Amino acid sequence: MKRLSFLYLALAYAFIFLPVAVLVVFSFQDGRLPVPPFQGVTLKWYEKVLSDEGLMTALGHSALVAFGSSGVALALGFLAAHGLARVALPGSLLMRGLLIAPMTVSYLIIGLGLLTVFNQAGIKPSLVATGIGHVVINLPLCFAICFAAMGDHQKSAERAARDLGASEVQVLWHISAPMLAPALAAAFFLSVTFSWDEFIIAFLLTRFEVTLPVEIWSMLRSGLSPATNAIGSLVFLVSALVVIVLETLMRRKA
Amino acid sequence: MSREDRLGWGLVAPALLWTAAFFVLPFLAMLALSFAHMEGREVVHGFSFGNYVKAFGDWSQLKALVNSIEITLTVTVLSVLLAWPLAATIAWSVPPRWQRAALLAAILPFWTSYVVRSYSWALVLGKTGVLNRGFGLIGLGPYEMASTRFATVIGFTHFFVMLLTLTIYANLVQLSPNYLRAAQDLGASRLRAFVHVILPLTLPGIVTGAFVTFTLCIGDYITPQILGGNNELTLPQLIMLQMGRGGNFPMASALSVILMAVVTLAYAACARWLRLDRL
Amino acid sequence: MTASVTIDRVTQTYGGAMALHDVSLQIAAGEFVVLLGPSGCGKTTLLNLIGGFAAPASGRILIGDRDMAGVAPAQRPTTTVFQDYALFPHMSLADNVGFGLRMRGVSRGERRAKAAQMLALVGLPGREDRRPHELSGGQRQRVALARALAVSPDVLLLDEPLGALDLKLRRQMQDELKAIQRQVGTTFVHVTHDQEEAMALADRIVVMSEGRIADQGPPREVYLRPRSLFSAAFMGEINQVPVVQGQSAIGPYPGTGMLLIRPEAINVTGGLPLGEAVVTDAAFFGTHVRAHARLGDLTLTLHLPQGSDPQPGQVLALYASAHAFLETE
């Protein structure tokens, strides 16, 4: 039984890592196509990718959109969670439902809807438009995480702070936010990940300034190339490194 | 309205307004647009069910919906079946101090860029790809795997196995081992203990994960586009095609509304087990 | 600093249910008042109204001479020691204690000095840089007290602050709380359901029941001369002997009402003869011997002196050394 489950584990990991391994290995391909046979190791594709202005600009755009939209989504989600946790407003269940709703709708539909409205309002596709779309998809996530993290403990500390003379802004800044720091960090990190990687909304809502997934997409259309492997590997290795470092830090703290 | 209430509204209002302006309003606009029609390259607003009639009446359009549902159901079931034993092995057979690492390893390829992930599978499954080379060495193949439904399903399943492993694992570790012990203590076989105790207790986690899989899978454009090619279209591919080629926004909108209706039906089907707020 | 509190005909409702019925209470500056009663009696509601966490449906609350209507908790000259302490987990003890001063714009150095002084007052000198999670329950309680006192409130509100502590620690904290109150001179309004705690602390006990004040007065008076059946029973075990038109189980007694006798006031000598009773059981309790005795239809509970040794079946001629009588009209 035990042997069988470890065999399954090995097979599952092989399945999970197979495409990543192929991606990374053939990013070093000394040849024109990222397929077997492997013709030797070179770093020239990395060089090419890193000196590719279009890609590097797109990388910057992606970072800008990811951090900007996550910041807005987190702020809105945190405030809403705080409001709904604090006051028993009429229809608060309905409001929670409305705030969570975008989570169950395909990104394609959100993107298409925004495109329709922006077209009618005469708003041109841009990074800002993409950012607005990314806030829509990340707001439910940030709200849900913050709302779930607000326990009785939190509420009584906020009450005590008010009793000691703190204004509502001071309560948010000195008590609620620091006490929720782990949840806020997790929500922000997840938002950045989702926004960074999001394709379809960015594809629909950008035109001249594009994000990295859109840029990679246009690379793909010109056929297979180890350069695509190189940029893909680069993004993967850096993100994986960040994740592993965060995980180790968290473990050490716990 | 008391001071408290005003404060509460003030805090909730920005998020509500954002959701209303950039989620509800766009959806309503799209819904309205889905009843319009095209004359030449011009959108003519009005109220006709023409797009819907075409979506269900024209086999070339309806086929996309059927394809999407078939692929999504296959992927969802396959992913659950593959992820459950993986999550269970990590939760029960891997020593506790290695569990976090094992779990992290199981989801690490999450952080490959999503477009690149599908591309990687194209490299693996291509006619000259790694798999066919491998088969060649033992005298098999080559098989036509890229640009097929098989490739789409593999690409999707790869992603959702990771996602589901995470949610099911989170569910399993919360279970006290005493449940299984108690069931066996009372005379249940391993299988019956599993069917009557473990499965019902982990069902909410499984259903939630499966619903998310369903939603993400049926609405995805990239994976079928890169791996499935244009041999058979899924609904999102058709939507993009309607929009891109003819600029037929009304038809694209109608298809989107249908897509959303399918997700809503799926939601209704598993609502009683869903815990979206505890994702 | 200190101030009086005036509760003037306050009524409060919670979703249709009456929480307080037309309650009036005058608390003097510097007084230690304990609101005592079972859960749901309205004592915590009253405390929340004084602290400003809720507004009364009708009636007025004054602190000093100032009407508190519409004044938020932050602006009131009150602070609260909460049942769960509500310490800020992400702040050092100095920052916790100095929080109220920070909100009032006091400089960092001054805050730190005041925090050190307050921590010393509550018996935690030199712990400024510790964090709440490093402390025991009793120590957290002290920090909560120091934090609430650091802003020199006129009135300190304590919401069952000792409820989470074990019995031994609770008794010790009661002594310290009383000493601290004498030292700072602030008006303390303390809520509890533990009558021993109330007697240990209070200048005046206010017994509450079903949203009304059932009795009030110094501990001795409330215990020995209760003004309601409810407060008589809530303050401790008591024997109730009905008297109807001068007749009762212990013989003639003037009036109609209820004769109340504490178990420890009954012995084989005393001022009021009760009659001959048959001991049904007895047990040694350390400080006293607890026994039951039948007197006609009545079963009396007795706390006899440590040295006595009553046997079941034994007949005792009993007397009461103290009693109270509640007349019904």
Side-chain angles (χ1 to χ4, degrees), chain C residues 93-110:
Chain C
L93 299 195
D95 288 343
N96 260 286
V97 175
F99 186 84
L101 297 172
R102 187 175 177 190
M103 295 302 112
R104 286 161 176 74
V106 175
S107 77
R108 196 173 172 76
E110 238 176 289

Side-chain angles (χ1 to χ4, degrees), chain A residues 49-68:
Chain A
V49 158
L50 287 173
S51 60
D52 183 328
E53 218 167 285
L55 265 180
M56 289 305 117
T57 314
L59 197 89
H61 290 158
S62 273
L64 194 69
V65 170
F67 283 95

Side-chain angles (χ1 to χ4, degrees), chain A residues 5 11 20 36 47 49 53 64 73 150 185 254:
Chain A
S5 53
L11 284 175
V20 182
E47 242 169 80
V49 158
E53 218 167 285
L64 194 69
M150 279 184 194

Side-chain angles (χ1 to χ4, degrees), chain A residues 8 13 16 86 112 197 229, chain B residues 4 7 82 102 119 158 243:
Chain A
Y8 183 77
Y13 279 127
I16 287 170
R86 161 128 195 248
L112 204 60
D197 209 21
N229 291 48
Chain B
E4 278 290 274
L7 194 81
L82 290 175
Y119 164 79
H158 176 243
M243 225 176 27

